[in-house]
Amino acid sequence: MNRLLLSLCLLRFFTAHSQVYDLRTEYLTAPLGIDTPQPRLSWKQKDERRGAGQSAYQVWLGKDSLAVATGKAGSTGKINAPDNRVIYTRENLQPYTRYFWKVTVWDNHGGRVQSQVVHFETGHMQISNWKGEWISDGTDIRLKPAPYFRQDFETGKKIRSARAYIAAGGLFELYINGVKIGDHVLDPNYTRFDRRILYVTHDVTGALKAGKNAIGVLLGNGWYNHQSTAVWYFDRAPWRNRPAFCMDLRITYEDGSVETVSSGRSWKTALSPVIFNSIYTAEHYDARKEIRGWNLPDFDDSQWRNSTLRSAPSQNIVSQALTPVRAVEEIPVKSLNRISDTVYVFDLGRNISGVSRITLSGPEGTVIRLKHAERLYDNGRPDMSNIDAHYRPTDDTDPFQTDIFILKGEGTESFMPRFNYKGFQYVEVTASRPVQLNSTSLKGYFIHSDVEPVGRISSSDETLNRIWQATNNSYLSNLVGYPTDCPQREKNGWTGDAHIASETGLYNFDGITVYEKWLADHRDEQQPNGVLPSIIPTGGWGYEWGNGPDWTSTIAIIPWNLYLFYGDKKPLQDNYENIRRYVDHIAELYPSGLTSWGLGDWIPVKSKAPVELTSTAYYYTDTRILAQAAELLGREADHREYNALAEKIRKAFNDKYLHRETGLYGSGLQTELAVPLFWGLVPEELRREVADHLAQRVQADDMQMDVGLLGTKALLQALSDNGHEEVAYALATRKTFPSWGWWIANGATTLYENWPIDAKSDISMNHIMFGEIGAWLFKAPGGIKPDPWQPGFRNVILEPRFTGGPDTFSAEHNGRYGTIRSAWEKTEKGITYRVTIPANSTGTVRLPQVKGKSWYKDGVVMKNSEVQVLSGEYKFENK
């Protein structure tokens, strides 16, 4: 008995230190509508003891929450491994089913701790399970008003649960009994509609009532029926059609019976007060055309028409299993300029992607125009010239980024677009009659994929802090279910911009679900010979211009970065054949190993490196990633083949561009030196010499950057990793042209497309393509890097760069195992550096040698400046 009590006390003591938390299915919390038959289940361990880790785990999964909680459900069995993610294969998952799961973790101190029971739900899982029919209002693609749809139904028994599954060509809003369902916007996410359609699942149990109910659906055009005209010809997309949808409302009653209310020809349709909507330009709304009660039971729809049956846009209809797009933040007006009683200009004080909401009153028929812009003319009116350059309107009825709201004249009225978003800081409101507005009459809403923040930077240098904030603002502004270049002029999924900024995104936000969706878009768009377009998704534009390895390396670089940050091979496995076809195509076109296919160092400050140099560097990178992926996936023959090809490319590159006698590449431009250093093309014995030449070249260029997009990706890290971090700091924080600090000094709250703020072209003021600095802040001042040999931050590499930096600096990243912290402070004696390594992971700390000083770890002098540490908190001092 005493032994039993002792064992219980010990167990209680050990488990009190550990906690299992953040359980996710397919990287989502309690998701609905999962289609994958073998979901990835993951968790984290919290334990502040040094060296704490997981020695084993066991996952239970089943349909009965009590059976899971008591350990009587199916399980993996106890697995002696530190893994905190498992692909669950032991259960044959069924559609429309809620599954519960938990995990028990054994720690390396002898304790055991159980997680809470969590759940996920499966969706249709295969297209044959759909019962609904695809319906539309059957009108012409040129018709401008958006259609309403409605259907009444009755429930006769007590409801246990109800789920709405809805797929659409275009965008939708769903209503039940007059209440809008969910807080998503711009659903479903944009795809290549003729090859893949996404459906969304909502829990609508609370929206239903006993007896009579009504479903209402409002459809928007989105990218499916692009009525605005621009240089990318989305109005000619092969899938273009009048918006359509398919819906199943699946009701499960308390007695276990199931009833499905599905879309079909009996649904009624009419035109809505949304008299025009364009994802690209704006939305027009005539409140006089509102139909009261249209989405409520017992509405008289006898004057409405029956819906028209349509074929499905695609036979590939899959769950939208990613973080949704939302109106994440409400932004008040910072200042208001009343120009007259019919013209007001509102300033939000920051540049965003999103929409505005106006609230006012006025006579019936008053026309309100809301023009959204990023900058103003000297007279205080909006200047659209930097963002409407690629718009090709056919008439004056669709003004760019200008919403139109026609009042019904019944007291206070509000308008906020449903099926559009814009990039803007200023909103000019003009009225056809005098109106009274104040600073509370308008609000801005920041719209983006609602990805969880996982990174934080703070320092004593306010310029660095503001650069980090501006970079994140631009990253989020350009993440709306897929990465874009800018939220106003284009909204295109430019591949080059996205892979350049992918590390920035992954250090700062939990974005894997959005990237995995976008990689599926790549697979949809890739031609049989391996060619990818420069913008993804596309209606056909981009296969003939702008693509090539410097841009469309997304197919290799993003899966590799997901592997590094999450330790998950699945993105590499899912895209392996696509990467291989892509690399094989380049090899076929360019047998020498050198390729000139690509745009090159886009928008340089003044000097542009040869396209062949930059494109070949990316070709080498893609091939090296392919070889590494082959090895990880057990494809030994492919590993040998592509490893040899990578070496062939590297040799050809160095034979042509490296002058070994001088240690210079090409003519010695900054991009020519930085790109080979960053992407690992420089022979090891020459790395320091090439880096010295790069630093000297920057100094010869008056300590100014002279690079374009591809050079910017490489420059700061190439300097920081090779002994010249003080030069990198100087470039990053300088407050004169050209630099990020220059933008901040001139009032930027986002990143720009061009270094000169008065450029005559290419001057979007919310562009992410120069966003590598957001990753550099973590990699160089913070020194936080994933270890390719133990990815997902299973082992954290910490090599901070102190020289030339601010007095204090802190970087935090909440990775796959928990929060990593790297923080330092310069003191009179030297440097104090503090590190936090989360439970179940380790760290490799590499500290710079300082002449005449020694490093101390927790007060004990270190024999070497590199040390391996277990989880926990550590203090290093250089004195």
Side-chain angles (χ1 to χ4, degrees):
M1 187 67 174
N2 289 338
R3 184 177 298 174
L4 176 60
L5 288 173
L6 177 62
S7 297
L8 290 173
C9 289
L10 286 172
L11 180 61
R12 188 171 299 170
F13 170 77
F14 284 129
T15 56
H17 290 283
S18 285
Q19 177 187 354
V20 180
Y21 70 106
D22 198 16
L23 276 68
R24 301 195 185 194
T25 304
E26 289 293 301
Y27 297 103
L28 298 168
T29 301
L32 301 179
I34 291 294
D35 274 347
T36 177
Q38 297 181 347
R40 292 167 290 183
L41 311 177
S42 61
W43 60 91
K44 293 178 183 176
Q45 177 187 5
K46 185 176 183 180
D47 192 327
E48 296 179 356
R49 292 172 294 178
R50 274 200 181 176
Q54 172 187 300
S55 63
Y57 70 89
Q58 185 170 359
V59 171
W60 280 267
L61 185 146
K63 301 175 186 178
D64 186 327
S65 60
L66 181 60
V68 171
T70 57
K72 296 178 181 178
S75 85
T76 59
K78 183 178 179 180
I79 297 175
N80 295 315
D83 303 335
N84 64 352
R85 178 183 53 243
V86 62
I87 298 175
Y88 199 87
T89 60
R90 297 179 63 87
E91 184 87 11
N92 184 22
L93 301 188
Q94 301 298 310
Y96 318 123
T97 303
R98 172 169 287 196
Y99 287 94
F100 299 89
W101 70 278
K102 72 170 185 177
V103 61
T104 295
V105 166
W106 286 264
D107 66 38
N108 55 4
H109 289 85
R112 185 179 71 176
V113 61
Q114 294 191 36
S115 73
Q116 293 182 333
V117 176
V118 297
H119 63 83
F120 65 90
E121 288 186 16
T122 53
H124 282 299
M125 299 194 77
Q126 52 189 5
I127 194 170
S128 60
N129 287 326
W130 282 89
K131 297 183 182 302
E133 297 176 295
W134 281 86
I135 59 174
S136 178
D137 67 350
T139 51
D140 189 272
I141 60 173
R142 292 167 295 184
L143 184 68
K144 292 184 178 181
Y148 276 150
F149 298 83
R150 71 177 314 278
Q151 175 76 349
D152 287 333
F153 66 98
E154 291 192 23
T155 58
K157 294 181 285 188
K158 189 174 182 181
I159 296 170
R160 177 190 300 166
S161 66
R163 302 290 182 264
Y165 306 94
I166 181 166
L171 302 171
F172 73 85
E173 283 192 344
L174 172 64
Y175 298 82
I176 293 182
N177 296 327
V179 178
K180 181 180 180 294
I181 301 301
D183 60 358
H184 303 186
V185 298
L186 305 178
D187 262 346
N189 290 166
Y190 176 28
T191 58
R192 172 77 190 243
F193 296 104
D194 53 352
R195 295 179 182 170
R196 190 167 102 266
I197 293 277
L198 302 181
Y199 75 88
V200 181
T201 304
H202 284 294
D203 181 351
V204 297
T205 308
L208 299 181
K209 59 185 181 180
K212 294 180 179 180
N213 293 269
I215 303 171
V217 174
L218 172 62
L219 290 186
N221 288 320
W223 293 97
Y224 185 65
N225 183 32
H226 206 283
Q227 293 179 322
S228 302
T229 48
V231 298
W232 304 283
Y233 305 121
F234 280 101
D235 59 308
R236 305 178 192 176
W239 60 68
R240 186 179 172 190
N241 212 328
R242 184 74 172 161
F245 76 100
C246 180
M247 178 177 171
D248 284 343
L249 173 58
R250 194 172 191 272
I251 305 168
T252 302
Y253 294 103
E254 286 288 358
D255 63 6
S257 62
V258 174
E259 179 183 5
T260 303
V261 180
S262 297
S263 54
R265 195 175 185 280
S266 64
W267 287 46
K268 294 300 185 72
T269 183
L271 298 179
S272 77
V274 180
I275 57 175
F276 174 77
N277 69 98
S278 167
I279 189 73
Y280 181 62
T281 56
E283 188 165 312
H284 307 168
Y285 186 88
D286 189 343
R288 299 170 301 177
K289 297 180 180 292
E290 290 178 349
I291 305 173
R292 285 191 174 92
W294 72 274
N295 49 17
L296 293 172
D298 291 326
F299 172 77
D300 181 6
D301 58 15
S302 59
Q303 300 303 308
W304 289 33
R305 296 183 298 110
N306 282 354
S307 299
T308 301
L309 297 183
R310 278 263 302 277
S311 60
S314 168
Q315 291 302 304
N316 185 21
I317 303 174
V318 299
S319 174
Q320 182 172 291
L322 68 151
T323 306
V325 178
R326 293 187 173 102
V328 176
E329 182 183 357
E330 181 182 276
I331 301 171
V333 168
K334 184 179 180 181
S335 65
L336 171 61
N337 179 14
R338 181 183 183 277
I339 293 176
S340 69
D341 58 6
T342 59
V343 181
Y344 299 77
V345 177
F346 296 82
D347 178 5
L348 297 182
R350 55 186 280 204
N351 199 330
I352 64 167
S353 64
V355 296
S356 61
R357 177 186 181 94
I358 191 166
T359 302
L360 76 168
S361 58
E364 179 183 357
T366 302
V367 179
I368 307 296
R369 290 174 175 257
L370 300 97
K371 180 184 289 188
H372 299 72
E374 292 189 315
R375 62 187 187 185
L376 303 176
Y377 288 115
D378 291 341
N379 64 2
R381 305 295 292 270
D383 175 5
M384 309 285 279
S385 63
N386 68 315
I387 55 175
D388 65 0
H390 299 317
Y391 183 37
R392 300 292 184 269
T394 56
D395 56 37
D396 60 358
T397 62
D398 181 15
F400 191 67
Q401 291 215 146
T402 303
D403 295 326
I404 298 175
F405 177 32
I406 303 174
L407 303 185
K408 61 186 174 183
E410 298 178 6
T412 301
E413 304 178 49
S414 292
F415 166 72
M416 177 174 167
R418 296 166 166 84
F419 302 127
N420 166 266
Y421 76 99
K422 309 168 187 72
F424 67 101
Q425 177 173 334
Y426 305 97
V427 184
E428 179 189 75
V429 177
T430 60
S432 60
R433 297 186 179 98
V435 292
Q436 294 297 316
L437 302 178
N438 57 47
S439 61
T440 65
S441 301
L442 185 135
K443 297 184 186 301
Y445 290 87
F446 192 5
I447 287 177
H448 57 78
S449 293
D450 193 11
V451 287
E452 178 187 354
V454 295
R456 184 174 181 273
I457 295 291
S458 62
S459 79
S460 56
D461 187 328
E462 187 57 24
T463 297
L464 279 182
N465 297 338
R466 291 175 63 190
I467 289 172
W468 173 69
Q469 293 164 359
T471 303
N472 283 354
N473 285 339
S474 277
Y475 180 80
L476 291 174
S477 294
N478 286 288
L479 198 71
V480 283
Y482 66 106
T484 66
D485 59 333
C486 56
Q488 9 66 12
R489 191 186 67 213
E490 302 188 26
K491 299 183 174 75
N492 280 324
W494 277 100
T495 48
D497 304 51
H499 75 68
I500 292 291
S502 60
E503 286 182 283
T504 290
L506 293 172
Y507 273 113
N508 285 288
F509 301 99
D510 182 16
I512 186 171
T513 59
V514 178
Y515 281 121
E516 286 192 318
K517 176 266 178 189
W518 196 48
L519 287 168
D521 296 335
H522 279 62
R523 298 193 294 273
D524 289 342
E525 296 287 9
Q526 189 176 37
Q527 294 186 347
N529 65 357
V531 171
L532 288 158
S534 51
I535 59 172
I536 296 175
T538 179
W541 189 94
Y543 289 98
E544 73 295 330
W545 189 87
N547 53 348
D550 52 357
W551 252 243
T552 45
S553 284
T554 42
I555 192 62
I557 290 175
I558 289 181
W560 182 251
N561 282 341
L562 293 177
Y563 172 69
L564 291 178
F565 277 78
Y566 290 86
D568 193 341
K569 296 179 186 178
K570 190 175 188 295
L572 288 169
Q573 188 169 24
D574 289 346
N575 297 282
Y576 181 83
E577 290 301 323
N578 307 85
I579 304 169
R580 185 182 59 78
R581 290 209 312 271
Y582 179 65
V583 167
D584 285 350
H585 183 67
I586 303 173
E588 181 181 358
L589 291 179
Y590 299 93
S592 69
L594 299 172
T595 175
S596 57
W597 183 21
L599 287 178
D601 202 17
W602 192 248
I603 309 188
V605 175
K606 58 182 179 182
S607 305
K608 186 172 181 178
V611 172
E612 186 181 71
L613 183 145
T614 50
S615 287
T616 300
Y618 278 93
Y619 175 31
Y620 167 75
T621 299
D622 298 341
T623 306
R624 188 163 52 88
I625 289 171
L626 179 57
Q628 292 168 309
E631 184 175 30
L632 287 167
L633 300 175
R635 299 171 180 250
E636 290 302 322
D638 282 4
H639 170 64
R640 291 191 296 271
E641 176 184 350
Y642 293 109
N643 197 49
L645 178 58
E647 287 307 309
K648 173 186 173 181
I649 297 166
R650 189 171 188 244
K651 183 178 184 304
F653 182 90
N654 285 325
D655 285 350
K656 179 162 184 179
Y657 289 104
L658 174 59
H659 306 292
R660 291 180 178 270
E661 66 280 3
T662 62
L664 290 171
Y665 278 87
S667 58
L669 297 175
Q670 291 182 29
T671 294
E672 290 176 313
L673 298 168
V675 164
L677 282 166
F678 183 84
W679 292 114
L681 286 145
V682 180
E684 190 60 38
E685 68 274 12
L686 293 177
R687 283 188 65 84
R688 186 56 186 260
E689 185 177 358
V690 174
D692 290 346
H693 283 306
L694 175 59
Q696 292 163 11
R697 179 62 193 233
V698 172
Q699 291 162 357
D701 289 331
D702 297 324
M703 287 300 291
Q704 295 182 6
M705 291 190 298
D706 184 19
V707 289
L709 172 60
L710 306 179
T712 306
K713 173 68 180 178
L715 180 61
L716 298 184
Q717 203 64 40
L719 289 164
S720 300
D721 280 348
N722 294 282
H724 296 287
E725 59 261 36
E726 75 286 353
V727 179
Y729 278 116
L731 291 175
T733 58
R734 65 177 285 137
K735 296 178 179 63
T736 56
F737 172 85
S739 181
W740 297 272
W742 158 248
W743 291 336
I744 297 300
N746 281 275
T749 59
T750 47
L751 304 188
Y752 293 173
E753 183 185 14
N754 212 326
W755 298 110
I757 59 177
D758 58 351
K760 300 303 180 185
S761 63
D762 299 318
I763 188 54
S764 153
M765 298 173 75
N766 196 347
H767 239 70
I768 190 54
M769 72 180 190
F770 288 122
E772 164 63 14
I773 192 168
W776 174 80
L777 289 169
F778 288 87
K779 292 187 289 185
I784 300 173
K785 299 177 183 178
D787 184 343
W789 300 105
Q790 297 185 69
F793 297 101
R794 178 73 180 87
N795 184 66
V796 185
I797 295 175
L798 291 159
E799 41 187 2
R801 309 301 181 188
F802 307 118
T803 307
D807 292 333
T808 63
F809 187 90
S810 174
E812 293 182 8
H813 174 69
N814 185 10
R816 281 281 302 111
Y817 292 87
T819 299
I820 304 157
R821 185 168 184 262
S822 172
W824 45 267
E825 178 182 8
K826 294 178 179 177
T827 66
E828 292 182 1
K829 294 181 179 180
I831 295 170
T832 300
Y833 178 48
R834 299 180 187 274
V835 167
T836 301
I837 305 293
N840 206 29
S841 58
T842 59
T844 302
V845 182
R846 297 169 182 161
L847 301 169
Q849 298 277 9
V850 180
K851 188 175 180 180
K853 293 186 177 183
S854 298
W855 280 103
Y856 293 78
K857 173 176 169 281
D858 297 331
V860 179
V861 68
M862 296 169 56
K863 296 180 180 179
N864 299 302
S865 58
E866 179 175 324
V867 62
Q868 192 72 14
V869 296
L870 299 174
S871 65
E873 296 183 354
Y874 298 88
K875 179 180 178 181
F876 299 88
E877 295 175 287
N878 185 246
K879 54 188 180 179

